[in-house]
Amino acid sequence: MEWSIQQIAKLAGTTSRTLRHYDDIGLLVPTSVGHNGYRHYDQAALVRLQRILLLRDLGLGLPQIADVLSRETSEESALEGHLAWLRQEQDRLARQIGSVESTIRALKGGEGLMAENMFDGFDHTQYQDEVEQRWGKRAYADSDRWWRGMDAAEKAAWKSRVELLGKDWVSAAERGIDPAGDEAQALAQRHVDWLTGIPGTPAGAPGGDLKGYLLGLGEMYVADPRFAQNYGGQDGAEFVRDALRAYAAANL
């Protein structure tokens, strides 16, 4: 049995454009191509795509994913390794859910909050090495101090703000609006306001290179699948990048 590129894109929650790009770079070659140029994929290709998406969620770039897939290993062994990671993530998310549920119960019942139990499963320090490498130890120390200084309600409000901004970016990208238009530029302004409110980043530092920071972030959103997934995938990340570029050109 074979599936068309449109069917696979829909099943995998990706786009035909992304699958064509994977073909162009030799990461996922179609099983067959019809006389009309339509790509089709068989079961083995689906397994390979599943591995690609799992590795992308682990934060690997496409060159690193290609390197991993080129190594001599059975698909079963590789998927067992992926499964182990997914179970770790499942455990972390379950602990987060339990923490939030406990907080809700305490708030509804007028009980005191158990601070030591509220953040089980939350670990903002997991990106410490990356932040320090990109922007220096002081950047991480300042942002870490800012985060730890907020109470639970402030942290929840901040997370809600970030989630809403991400959803609005995805909606705008899916509707195909002009990245330089008024609606997209209003989103870009919200994005800048969010970034400048985080101490330690180049956007939040007095005299920092906000323009360079925005342009660099836009490229990073596109290049790094961990960030691209926040904006609905590759196409959404490219839309955000283009909108930030337009904002920087007009305002900075």
Side-chain angles (χ1 to χ4, degrees), residues 68-92:
V68 170
L69 295 180
S70 69
R71 297 173 189 168
E72 290 296 329
T73 182
S74 70
E75 298 289 355
E76 292 83 358
S77 298
L79 286 171
E80 285 174 355
H82 295 319
L83 182 60
W85 174 81
L86 288 171
R87 283 176 172 155
Q88 289 178 351
E89 283 295 288
Q90 182 183 45
D91 176 69
R92 184 180 64 82

mmCIF file of all heavy atoms in Angstrom, residues 68-92:
data_model
loop_
_atom_site.group_PDB
_atom_site.id
_atom_site.type_symbol
_atom_site.label_atom_id
_atom_site.label_comp_id
_atom_site.label_asym_id
_atom_site.label_seq_id
_atom_site.Cartn_x
_atom_site.Cartn_y
_atom_site.Cartn_z
ATOM 1 N N VAL A 68 22.029 10.541 11.807
ATOM 2 C CA VAL A 68 21.512 9.473 12.658
ATOM 3 C C VAL A 68 20.889 8.370 11.812
ATOM 4 O O VAL A 68 21.129 7.175 12.028
ATOM 5 C CB VAL A 68 20.483 10.025 13.656
ATOM 6 C CG1 VAL A 68 19.767 8.882 14.387
ATOM 7 C CG2 VAL A 68 21.155 10.946 14.670
ATOM 8 N N LEU A 69 20.104 8.751 10.821
ATOM 9 C CA LEU A 69 19.409 7.767 10.004
ATOM 10 C C LEU A 69 20.363 6.974 9.112
ATOM 11 O O LEU A 69 20.031 5.866 8.674
ATOM 12 C CB LEU A 69 18.346 8.454 9.140
ATOM 13 C CG LEU A 69 17.175 9.104 9.900
ATOM 14 C CD1 LEU A 69 16.200 9.736 8.923
ATOM 15 C CD2 LEU A 69 16.451 8.078 10.768
ATOM 16 N N SER A 70 21.526 7.549 8.836
ATOM 17 C CA SER A 70 22.486 6.861 7.963
ATOM 18 C C SER A 70 23.264 5.779 8.690
ATOM 19 O O SER A 70 23.919 4.946 8.051
ATOM 20 C CB SER A 70 23.469 7.872 7.364
ATOM 21 O OG SER A 70 24.330 8.401 8.369
ATOM 22 N N ARG A 71 23.197 5.778 10.005
ATOM 23 C CA ARG A 71 23.958 4.788 10.760
ATOM 24 C C ARG A 71 23.313 3.415 10.636
ATOM 25 O O ARG A 71 22.109 3.272 10.488
ATOM 26 C CB ARG A 71 24.028 5.191 12.232
ATOM 27 C CG ARG A 71 24.751 6.508 12.453
ATOM 28 C CD ARG A 71 24.646 6.954 13.891
ATOM 29 N NE ARG A 71 25.163 8.313 14.072
ATOM 30 C CZ ARG A 71 24.984 9.031 15.162
ATOM 31 N NH1 ARG A 71 24.307 8.528 16.182
ATOM 32 N NH2 ARG A 71 25.476 10.254 15.242
ATOM 33 N N GLU A 72 24.150 2.400 10.738
ATOM 34 C CA GLU A 72 23.669 1.027 10.606
ATOM 35 C C GLU A 72 22.937 0.608 11.881
ATOM 36 O O GLU A 72 23.551 0.316 12.899
ATOM 37 C CB GLU A 72 24.848 0.079 10.341
ATOM 38 C CG GLU A 72 25.487 0.242 8.970
ATOM 39 C CD GLU A 72 24.535 -0.106 7.849
ATOM 40 O OE1 GLU A 72 23.662 -0.967 8.055
ATOM 41 O OE2 GLU A 72 24.661 0.494 6.779
ATOM 42 N N THR A 73 21.642 0.597 11.834
ATOM 43 C CA THR A 73 20.838 0.141 12.979
ATOM 44 C C THR A 73 19.470 -0.258 12.460
ATOM 45 O O THR A 73 18.996 0.269 11.456
ATOM 46 C CB THR A 73 20.696 1.251 14.041
ATOM 47 O OG1 THR A 73 19.954 0.748 15.156
ATOM 48 C CG2 THR A 73 19.970 2.463 13.477
ATOM 49 N N SER A 74 18.863 -1.188 13.131
ATOM 50 C CA SER A 74 17.538 -1.611 12.693
ATOM 51 C C SER A 74 16.508 -0.563 13.085
ATOM 52 O O SER A 74 16.679 0.178 14.052
ATOM 53 C CB SER A 74 17.183 -2.954 13.334
ATOM 54 O OG SER A 74 16.962 -2.787 14.729
ATOM 55 N N GLU A 75 15.450 -0.495 12.311
ATOM 56 C CA GLU A 75 14.381 0.449 12.622
ATOM 57 C C GLU A 75 13.781 0.144 13.992
ATOM 58 O O GLU A 75 13.444 1.050 14.756
ATOM 59 C CB GLU A 75 13.287 0.376 11.549
ATOM 60 C CG GLU A 75 13.739 0.746 10.146
ATOM 61 C CD GLU A 75 14.022 2.227 10.012
ATOM 62 O OE1 GLU A 75 13.774 2.981 10.967
ATOM 63 O OE2 GLU A 75 14.523 2.639 8.934
ATOM 64 N N GLU A 76 13.682 -1.159 14.320
ATOM 65 C CA GLU A 76 13.087 -1.538 15.604
ATOM 66 C C GLU A 76 13.921 -1.022 16.773
ATOM 67 O O GLU A 76 13.386 -0.456 17.735
ATOM 68 C CB GLU A 76 12.959 -3.064 15.694
ATOM 69 C CG GLU A 76 11.937 -3.671 14.736
ATOM 70 C CD GLU A 76 12.510 -3.889 13.344
ATOM 71 O OE1 GLU A 76 13.685 -3.527 13.112
ATOM 72 O OE2 GLU A 76 11.780 -4.408 12.490
ATOM 73 N N SER A 77 15.244 -1.185 16.695
ATOM 74 C CA SER A 77 16.121 -0.721 17.775
ATOM 75 C C SER A 77 16.063 0.789 17.920
ATOM 76 O O SER A 77 16.022 1.330 19.026
ATOM 77 C CB SER A 77 17.561 -1.166 17.513
ATOM 78 O OG SER A 77 17.665 -2.569 17.495
ATOM 79 N N ALA A 78 16.067 1.470 16.771
ATOM 80 C CA ALA A 78 16.019 2.928 16.815
ATOM 81 C C ALA A 78 14.714 3.412 17.440
ATOM 82 O O ALA A 78 14.705 4.324 18.271
ATOM 83 C CB ALA A 78 16.170 3.493 15.401
ATOM 84 N N LEU A 79 13.620 2.789 17.048
ATOM 85 C CA LEU A 79 12.326 3.201 17.588
ATOM 86 C C LEU A 79 12.207 2.887 19.076
ATOM 87 O O LEU A 79 11.547 3.615 19.822
ATOM 88 C CB LEU A 79 11.192 2.519 16.808
ATOM 89 C CG LEU A 79 10.958 3.085 15.406
ATOM 90 C CD1 LEU A 79 9.986 2.204 14.636
ATOM 91 C CD2 LEU A 79 10.438 4.515 15.462
ATOM 92 N N GLU A 80 12.855 1.826 19.522
ATOM 93 C CA GLU A 80 12.860 1.525 20.955
ATOM 94 C C GLU A 80 13.557 2.639 21.739
ATOM 95 O O GLU A 80 13.140 2.999 22.834
ATOM 96 C CB GLU A 80 13.547 0.183 21.208
ATOM 97 C CG GLU A 80 12.690 -1.014 20.816
ATOM 98 C CD GLU A 80 13.442 -2.330 20.938
ATOM 99 O OE1 GLU A 80 14.649 -2.289 21.230
ATOM 100 O OE2 GLU A 80 12.818 -3.390 20.729
ATOM 101 N N GLY A 81 14.638 3.185 21.154
ATOM 102 C CA GLY A 81 15.308 4.316 21.789
ATOM 103 C C GLY A 81 14.417 5.541 21.833
ATOM 104 O O GLY A 81 14.348 6.252 22.850
ATOM 105 N N HIS A 82 13.715 5.797 20.732
ATOM 106 C CA HIS A 82 12.771 6.915 20.708
ATOM 107 C C HIS A 82 11.675 6.718 21.741
ATOM 108 O O HIS A 82 11.250 7.668 22.422
ATOM 109 C CB HIS A 82 12.135 7.034 19.321
ATOM 110 C CG HIS A 82 13.104 7.387 18.242
ATOM 111 N ND1 HIS A 82 14.114 8.312 18.404
ATOM 112 C CD2 HIS A 82 13.203 6.961 16.962
ATOM 113 C CE1 HIS A 82 14.786 8.421 17.277
ATOM 114 N NE2 HIS A 82 14.266 7.594 16.395
ATOM 115 N N LEU A 83 11.202 5.488 21.844
ATOM 116 C CA LEU A 83 10.119 5.196 22.782
ATOM 117 C C LEU A 83 10.540 5.462 24.215
ATOM 118 O O LEU A 83 9.759 5.997 25.016
ATOM 119 C CB LEU A 83 9.670 3.740 22.620
ATOM 120 C CG LEU A 83 8.510 3.282 23.511
ATOM 121 C CD1 LEU A 83 7.265 4.123 23.248
ATOM 122 C CD2 LEU A 83 8.208 1.804 23.277
ATOM 123 N N ALA A 84 11.779 5.132 24.532
ATOM 124 C CA ALA A 84 12.279 5.387 25.890
ATOM 125 C C ALA A 84 12.251 6.878 26.200
ATOM 126 O O ALA A 84 11.864 7.301 27.299
ATOM 127 C CB ALA A 84 13.701 4.836 26.033
ATOM 128 N N TRP A 85 12.655 7.695 25.214
ATOM 129 C CA TRP A 85 12.619 9.148 25.414
ATOM 130 C C TRP A 85 11.182 9.643 25.565
ATOM 131 O O TRP A 85 10.885 10.476 26.419
ATOM 132 C CB TRP A 85 13.292 9.848 24.231
ATOM 133 C CG TRP A 85 13.164 11.341 24.309
ATOM 134 C CD1 TRP A 85 13.921 12.192 25.044
ATOM 135 C CD2 TRP A 85 12.198 12.147 23.632
ATOM 136 N NE1 TRP A 85 13.488 13.488 24.870
ATOM 137 C CE2 TRP A 85 12.440 13.492 24.013
ATOM 138 C CE3 TRP A 85 11.153 11.861 22.741
ATOM 139 C CZ2 TRP A 85 11.680 14.546 23.531
ATOM 140 C CZ3 TRP A 85 10.398 12.917 22.262
ATOM 141 C CH2 TRP A 85 10.660 14.234 22.650
ATOM 142 N N LEU A 86 10.288 9.119 24.738
ATOM 143 C CA LEU A 86 8.887 9.540 24.812
ATOM 144 C C LEU A 86 8.283 9.202 26.171
ATOM 145 O O LEU A 86 7.495 9.977 26.724
ATOM 146 C CB LEU A 86 8.079 8.870 23.698
ATOM 147 C CG LEU A 86 8.341 9.383 22.281
ATOM 148 C CD1 LEU A 86 7.655 8.490 21.261
ATOM 149 C CD2 LEU A 86 7.867 10.820 22.130
ATOM 150 N N ARG A 87 8.667 8.058 26.731
ATOM 151 C CA ARG A 87 8.143 7.687 28.045
ATOM 152 C C ARG A 87 8.674 8.624 29.125
ATOM 153 O O ARG A 87 7.964 8.941 30.088
ATOM 154 C CB ARG A 87 8.500 6.238 28.359
ATOM 155 C CG ARG A 87 7.604 5.250 27.610
ATOM 156 C CD ARG A 87 8.006 3.816 27.824
ATOM 157 N NE ARG A 87 7.019 2.907 27.255
ATOM 158 C CZ ARG A 87 7.274 1.680 26.855
ATOM 159 N NH1 ARG A 87 8.500 1.188 26.980
ATOM 160 N NH2 ARG A 87 6.319 0.909 26.350
ATOM 161 N N GLN A 88 9.918 9.083 28.971
ATOM 162 C CA GLN A 88 10.446 10.080 29.910
ATOM 163 C C GLN A 88 9.649 11.370 29.827
ATOM 164 O O GLN A 88 9.317 11.993 30.843
ATOM 165 C CB GLN A 88 11.925 10.358 29.597
ATOM 166 C CG GLN A 88 12.849 9.213 29.941
ATOM 167 C CD GLN A 88 14.296 9.521 29.576
ATOM 168 O OE1 GLN A 88 14.584 10.523 28.917
ATOM 169 N NE2 GLN A 88 15.204 8.662 29.982
ATOM 170 N N GLU A 89 9.338 11.777 28.591
ATOM 171 C CA GLU A 89 8.531 12.978 28.408
ATOM 172 C C GLU A 89 7.131 12.784 28.961
ATOM 173 O O GLU A 89 6.543 13.696 29.549
ATOM 174 C CB GLU A 89 8.450 13.339 26.918
ATOM 175 C CG GLU A 89 9.690 14.006 26.366
ATOM 176 C CD GLU A 89 9.919 15.375 27.009
ATOM 177 O OE1 GLU A 89 9.176 16.306 26.709
ATOM 178 O OE2 GLU A 89 10.846 15.481 27.843
ATOM 179 N N GLN A 90 6.587 11.593 28.783
ATOM 180 C CA GLN A 90 5.264 11.284 29.309
ATOM 181 C C GLN A 90 5.251 11.414 30.825
ATOM 182 O O GLN A 90 4.323 11.978 31.415
ATOM 183 C CB GLN A 90 4.856 9.872 28.891
ATOM 184 C CG GLN A 90 3.460 9.464 29.353
ATOM 185 C CD GLN A 90 3.144 8.031 28.972
ATOM 186 O OE1 GLN A 90 3.968 7.131 29.151
ATOM 187 N NE2 GLN A 90 1.967 7.812 28.420
ATOM 188 N N ASP A 91 6.309 10.915 31.451
ATOM 189 C CA ASP A 91 6.413 11.008 32.907
ATOM 190 C C ASP A 91 6.522 12.468 33.343
ATOM 191 O O ASP A 91 5.883 12.878 34.319
ATOM 192 C CB ASP A 91 7.630 10.215 33.382
ATOM 193 C CG ASP A 91 7.854 10.362 34.880
ATOM 194 O OD1 ASP A 91 7.028 9.849 35.659
ATOM 195 O OD2 ASP A 91 8.855 10.991 35.271
ATOM 196 N N ARG A 92 7.320 13.254 32.606
ATOM 197 C CA ARG A 92 7.475 14.664 32.966
ATOM 198 C C ARG A 92 6.152 15.411 32.832
ATOM 199 O O ARG A 92 5.766 16.186 33.712
ATOM 200 C CB ARG A 92 8.529 15.310 32.063
ATOM 201 C CG ARG A 92 8.835 16.768 32.408
ATOM 202 C CD ARG A 92 9.875 17.332 31.474
ATOM 203 N NE ARG A 92 9.407 17.384 30.111
ATOM 204 C CZ ARG A 92 8.637 18.369 29.627
ATOM 205 N NH1 ARG A 92 8.251 19.361 30.412
ATOM 206 N NH2 ARG A 92 8.258 18.341 28.370
#
